[in-house]
């Protein structure tokens, strides 16, 4: 058993430290998991690695993808990619820092937008 937190656990802690409302979404039907950043008004940002998972290890990190969903889980209409790793096997710390910056910027912009 490994005591080291997974990439998803580490990312969740960093996002929460930035004041974001974060939860985990599991799909047993598709065998996938996502980190979801809830944004005021019902929008959300969904985050996973290139394989649709969040339970990997930093030394096996394969990159992040973050997608803004203006209608949350009600519809994927208007979905926009907020972040995608630039390299196929980026360094976890650098890639995660860039992801967090993009997610925080997107969340702040959406919260500040008029309803």
């Amino acid at each position: 058993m490994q005591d080291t937190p997974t990439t998803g656990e580490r990312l969740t802690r960093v996002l929460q430290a930035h004041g974001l409302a974060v939860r985990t979404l599991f799909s047993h039907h598709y065998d996938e998991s996502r980190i979801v950043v809830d944004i005021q008004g019902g929008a959300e940002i969904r985050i996973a690695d290139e394989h649709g998972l969040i339970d990997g290890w930093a030394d096996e990190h394969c990159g992040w993808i973050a997608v803004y969903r203006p209608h949350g889980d009600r519809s994927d209409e208007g979905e926009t990619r907020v972040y995608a790793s630039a390299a196929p096997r980026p360094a976890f710390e650098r890639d995660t820092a860039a992801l967090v910056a993009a997610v925080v910027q997107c969340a702040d912009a959406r919260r500040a937008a008029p309803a």
Side-chain angles (χ1 to χ4, degrees):
M1 180 173 184
Q2 194 163 3
D3 291 334
T4 305
T6 66
T7 53
E9 291 167 336
R10 292 173 67 180
L11 176 58
T12 295
R13 291 178 191 158
V14 172
L15 292 169
Q16 288 172 332
H18 281 276
L20 297 172
V22 181
R23 61 187 165 90
T24 304
L25 177 67
F26 295 101
S27 171
H28 299 290
H29 180 72
Y30 295 107
D31 198 27
E32 295 177 335
S33 52
R34 303 268 187 275
I35 293 172
V36 179
V37 176
D38 291 311
I39 299 172
Q40 184 178 341
E44 64 188 23
I45 300 170
R46 292 186 179 188
I47 304 165
D49 71 12
E50 296 282 332
H51 303 293
L53 301 170
I54 57 170
D55 59 357
W57 306 112
D59 59 346
E60 299 170 353
H61 181 63
C62 61
W64 294 115
I65 296 174
V67 177
Y68 171 73
R69 295 174 56 106
H71 306 290
D73 63 359
R74 296 182 311 268
S75 168
D76 61 0
E77 183 180 346
E79 199 174 79
T80 306
R81 188 172 280 191
V82 173
Y83 182 83
S85 300
R89 294 208 35 99
F92 172 76
E93 288 79 9
R94 188 174 323 136
D95 190 37
T96 301
L99 167 71
V100 169
V103 168
V104 167
Q105 182 179 10
C106 178
D108 286 347
R110 299 308 189 252
R111 283 192 296 244

